[in-house]
Amino acid sequence: AVLLCAGEGSRLFPITSWMPKPLLPVRGVPILVHILRKLRAEGWDRIFVCILDEHWEQFAYHLDRPDLRESVTLRAHAPGPFGTAGELVNAARFLKGDYFLVHYGDILSRVDTRAMRGQYEAFEQRPAAYLAVAKKLQTDKGVVKLERFLTDDHRGEAPPVVTEVQEKPELEFPNLVGIEILRSDVLEHMSIGEDLHRDVLPRLLAKGLPVVAHVVDDDFIDIGSVDAFRRAQSWK
């Protein structure tokens, strides 16, 4: 398994100016430690954590725990536009199996990665990517429904009437959780500086490589805002 923890945490600045986001405490324990303990319990015994060089001492300190020492390896690189795909390219020589799990370092979820792995191995032809997908999207924005949508072609007309207002609704819109299994040959389609979701997955689809969804009912928390960080403190 590979945990992507080399981001700058810009959405949580200035909190992340003194501590990398994966090390922020949730109920007194770093986010990353929650994730690692869950993955260890689900059978992942070789876990690489991708970080920035400048954060080495902080990560090493927080991961020096008896239940994690033997299974977790830190993999660091210098700051720069590596991107999430670049983090995987940087760790590629350590990934010896036919596939590997990718887990973003700021995601708390109840996705059963042991079950996900079993289902992936059961495919007659294993897909290039097997993506955990949540059924509903929790937005932190208020949304409205309009009687009609005003476009540039209708300027000068009366503004559309609002028919419904919803504050931070759950939208029926499948969304990526940030947990996926990738076939190892997918590394050949990645480059330093690219984003896994924005650049690599669309490339796989364009090449006709199979990408399959593992749909989950549970919600998850992407700790990318102060509000999400606050909600994480009551996460069970």
Side-chain angles (χ1 to χ4, degrees):
V2 184
L3 268 72
L4 305 181
C5 299
E8 296 180 354
S10 56
R11 292 182 296 167
L12 267 176
F13 189 84
I15 298 173
T16 48
S17 64
W18 56 272
M19 179 171 285
K21 182 165 56 173
L23 296 181
L24 293 177
V26 169
R27 304 178 77 168
V29 177
I31 297 166
L32 179 60
V33 173
H34 285 294
I35 297 171
L36 288 169
R37 285 176 172 166
K38 179 176 181 294
L39 292 181
R40 287 290 294 115
E42 291 171 346
W44 301 91
D45 56 9
R46 295 181 67 236
I47 305 173
F48 296 93
V49 181
C50 298
I51 64 172
L52 293 176
D53 280 333
E54 62 193 77
H55 297 152
W56 181 276
E57 290 186 3
Q58 287 175 289
F59 275 91
Y61 172 79
H62 285 284
L63 297 184
D64 186 17
R65 299 167 185 259
D67 58 332
L68 299 178
R69 286 186 197 125
E70 294 185 4
S71 57
V72 177
T73 301
L74 293 176
R75 179 62 189 156
H77 62 75
F82 257 69
T84 48
E87 293 179 55
L88 294 174
V89 171
N90 193 47
R93 68 177 181 273
F94 298 103
L95 306 177
K96 304 298 184 182
D98 297 329
Y99 63 87
F100 55 92
L101 180 83
V102 176
H103 197 304
Y104 282 63
D106 56 359
I107 299 295
L108 291 179
S109 85
R110 300 185 186 90
V111 173
D112 185 343
T113 61
R114 187 194 301 271
M116 192 174 175
R117 180 178 188 170
Q119 291 164 14
Y120 182 80
E121 291 181 341
F123 281 106
E124 186 174 344
Q125 292 186 326
R126 293 176 182 172
Y130 191 39
L131 314 175
V133 173
K135 290 182 179 179
K136 294 183 179 181
L137 174 65
Q138 176 71 55
T139 177
D140 60 355
K141 309 294 183 184
V143 301
V144 300
K145 290 184 179 179
L146 302 178
E147 178 186 44
R148 59 183 173 80
F149 197 77
L150 188 64
T151 66
D152 291 342
D153 296 333
H154 297 88
R155 288 180 179 176
E157 296 184 4
V161 174
V162 175
T163 60
E164 185 178 343
V165 176
Q166 298 181 43
E167 178 61 13
K168 300 180 181 178
E170 280 192 345
L171 305 177
E172 297 286 342
F173 198 89
N175 57 115
L176 290 169
V177 174
I179 301 172
E180 41 243 16
I181 292 177
L182 300 182
R183 210 169 58 204
S184 292
D185 61 348
V186 169
L187 290 164
E188 300 170 5
H189 301 276
M190 301 182 191
S191 298
I192 299 292
E194 293 187 329
D195 182 86
L196 179 58
H197 291 165
R198 184 182 61 244
D199 302 310
V200 178
L201 293 182
R203 182 175 300 135
L204 299 181
L205 293 171
K207 291 178 178 291
L209 296 173
V211 177
V212 179
H214 174 79
V215 181
V216 296
D217 290 320
D218 275 328
D219 61 347
F220 67 98
I221 298 182
D222 174 356
I223 305 177
S225 67
V226 174
D227 181 60
F229 184 39
R230 185 183 299 112
R231 285 191 291 113
Q233 304 308 318
S234 59
W235 178 259
K236 297 181 181 179

